[in-house]
Amino acid sequence: MGQPTPATDDGWWRSAVIYQVYVRSFADGDGDGTGDLAGVRARLPYLAELGVDALWFTPWYRSPMKDGGYDVADYRAIDPAFGTLAEAEKLIAEARELGIRTIVDIVPNHVSAQHPWFRAALAGGPGRELFHFRPGRGEHGELPPNDWQSEFGGPAWTRLPDGDWYLHLFAPEQPDLNWAHPAVRQEHEDILRFWFERGVAGVRVDSAALLAKDPELPDVTEGRAPHPYVDRDELHDVYRAWRAVADEYGAVFVGEVWLPDTERFARYLRPDELHTAFNFSFLTCPWDADRLRTSIDDTLAEHAPVGAPATWVLCNHDVTRTVTRYGRADTGFDFATKAFGTPTDLALGTRRARAAALLSLALPGAVYVYQGEELGLPEADIPLDRIEDPMHARSGGTDPGRDGCRVPLPWAAGEPHAGFGGEPWLPQPDGWAAYAADRQAEDPGSMLSLYRAAIRLRPEFGDGPLTWLPAPDGVLAFTRADALCVVNLADTPVDLPAHTELLLHSGPLDTAGRLPGDTAVWLRA
């Protein structure tokens, strides 16, 4: 491999539109029913026409796929189901030629149980200190070492035949690494360099607040501070070291940081740590004007002291799709609302999702778009015998899991499997072809056309701050530069503020020129 030109940090990430690619479900280039890098490369013109600035790839590394690739066995190899390292290098280069940067996913909290380190540890080698192995409690060590629970349900510990237990905050196939060990830190810094040297412009950090553990591994006692494994102070040394590596290449980070404490959250975004972090407050907000405005204000306020840009996202590979979520009576984010049979008004959800797209794309900062959101895809009901997400099994079947937002995309209405490729690894619902990209590309009123127009017009809002405008109850109205965004979340139409031009609307105005409920509009002042 030749020495590529390192990525350049020119501040692009501060206002970028970043498209999330879940490779397995994006496009199948070889006809085996699994999305792959060949499929992504073939669709690069589509992504360029959409107008995105970067692609964030969920893990594409070699993996047993016990958790959708978030159980990594080898960070320096592409999973054979997706392609090869040489193909990944071509994809990075070809995307960059189209003006699209690449962001890869790193999962530092854990590795796959098939990772060479863990296999050596199980074989009795010296590698157990790289993980968290402990004897059990109880008379015969039959109880887990502490009361920690897995994020996927059940105990966060699994017992081995030799009697020891190992920690896994997620699935048993995902043993947690010991970040107090210098070899773990060195390995991840080397992994960062490996991908930065291949032209990657950034890294998304999975479960970024969970890496460090209290060495005593105490029980999670109510009110314990600091928490034994969430947001521990020693984490910041890790990210300062990572930032030094990224700065060598002009690369950037986005962290997955779920924290209710805004001051603690902002610490991860100090100038010598992560560049950005996902904004879960906005994603989890119900379709309510007051709560959305509060989320927006709080987000901008918590980022201001550290000079970091906000990020905005409506959906990702772990969350019920926006059209379905906004079409339910409870439009806030709650895993319980994913239960099968929950009534959903897709027409209502689509109107709100269109308006929410204009809202998010008008806000200051970076915007993440999960694949298929630009097509208005709803959440799919997956037959019980086809569910692969471990959350379903670990919950005893009470949680349907996340597969409903991971169904392979529809590309061509008239082709088998809606143009995805071979028979998809997850079944596409009946009528999926109605959402096909080729059909929507010809319809000026489609969700795809709306996203294309919004991304193209987004520079109208400039890079300045947001100023709220007086508005009736249930209406959000603000200005940035010479552009205005108005979103009506109320039931009755409202008059538009003074303006010189209507730039874009998520739905038609009424006969009196007013903005109907669940509709947004962009205006030039």
Side-chain angles (χ1 to χ4, degrees), residues 26 32 38 144 191 220 283 336 353 405 453 460 510:
F26 185 72
D32 66 355
I191 290 167
V220 181
L283 182 152
C405 67
E460 294 280 346
D510 70 8

Side-chain angles (χ1 to χ4, degrees), residues 122-486:
L122 293 185
R128 289 203 172 191
E129 69 272 14
L130 302 175
F131 300 90
H132 299 278
F133 285 88
R134 293 291 189 277
R137 296 186 294 188
E139 183 179 357
H140 304 290
E142 72 278 8
L143 299 176
N146 62 29
D147 66 354
W148 297 5
Q149 295 294 297
S150 163
E151 297 288 322
F152 291 164
W157 295 90
T158 289
R159 196 179 193 189
L160 298 170
D162 65 10
D164 269 358
W165 298 73
Y166 69 89
L167 175 68
H168 52 84
L169 289 180
F170 293 86
E173 296 86 0
Q174 297 167 293
D176 279 36
L177 290 164
N178 175 15
W179 273 87
H181 198 290
V184 173
R185 295 194 178 198
Q186 185 61 56
E187 169 66 0
H188 282 76
E189 290 176 25
D190 291 346
I191 290 167
L192 293 175
R193 284 193 169 91
F194 179 88
W195 286 105
F196 291 154
E197 288 171 2
R198 280 155 180 79
V200 162
V203 167
R204 181 261 190 185
V205 186
D206 181 74
S207 300
L210 301 184
L211 281 57
K213 276 78 174 178
D214 185 325
E216 300 300 320
L217 300 182
D219 285 349
V220 181
T221 306
E222 189 70 31
R224 174 182 290 276
H227 194 282
Y229 63 83
V230 177
D231 183 35
R232 295 185 61 80
D233 287 342
E234 54 265 41
L235 259 179
H236 297 283
D237 287 338
V238 172
Y239 293 132
R240 288 189 185 98
W242 283 24
R243 178 62 176 260
V245 174
D247 285 349
E248 294 176 24
Y249 296 89
V252 300
F253 292 114
V254 55
E256 183 191 31
V257 183
W258 290 79
L259 292 177
D261 185 320
T262 58
E263 188 276 330
R264 299 286 300 186
F265 171 85
R267 295 176 75 221
Y268 289 85
L269 301 176
R270 289 175 292 194
D272 60 346
E273 295 192 41
L274 304 179
H275 299 73
T276 61
F278 281 146
N279 176 10
F280 292 107
S281 166
F282 185 76
L283 182 152
T284 60
C285 213
W287 188 246
D288 177 270
D290 291 338
R291 292 178 64 178
L292 280 168
R293 176 165 175 168
T294 297
S295 173
I296 293 166
D297 284 340
D298 288 351
T299 296
L300 296 175
E302 69 190 17
H303 284 74
V306 288
T311 65
W312 312 99
V313 61
L314 296 173
C315 186
N316 62 34
H317 64 294
D318 289 332
V319 178
T320 303
R321 283 204 178 270
T322 310
V323 164
T324 297
R325 202 169 70 249
Y326 282 159
R328 290 175 173 163
D330 175 11
T331 56
F333 175 77
D334 183 347
F335 274 113
T337 67
K338 293 194 301 182
F340 292 114
T342 302
T344 300
D345 182 341
L346 287 182
L348 174 64
T350 299
R351 288 199 304 275
R352 290 175 170 176
R354 290 173 64 91
L358 293 197
L359 171 61
S360 63
L361 286 163
L363 294 170
V367 177
Y368 284 77
V369 178
Y370 176 49
Q371 65 179 45
E373 287 292 289
E374 82 280 11
L375 301 177
L377 296 182
E379 188 82 356
D381 284 345
I382 309 299
L384 292 177
D385 62 348
R386 296 292 301 275
I387 293 176
E388 296 199 11
D389 186 3
M391 290 188 73
H392 177 67
R394 297 276 297 178
S395 70
T398 60
D399 190 321
R402 300 160 294 178
D403 288 346
C405 67
R406 301 175 177 182
V407 173
L409 299 189
W411 290 101
E415 296 182 12
H417 314 301
F420 171 72
E423 182 176 351
W425 68 280
L426 280 177
Q428 295 172 318
D430 292 341
W432 207 237
Y435 297 97
D438 67 342
R439 178 175 292 179
Q440 293 202 36
E442 303 300 322
D443 178 4
S446 70
M447 186 74 84
L448 176 59
S449 294
L450 178 70
Y451 265 89
R452 286 178 173 175
I455 293 171
R456 184 180 70 253
L457 290 168
R458 191 166 182 255
E460 294 280 346
F461 288 92
D463 57 3
L466 175 154
T467 301
W468 292 106
L469 301 175
D473 289 344
V475 177
L476 298 175
F478 60 86
T479 182
R480 293 179 59 219
D482 294 326
L484 289 72
C485 176
V486 184

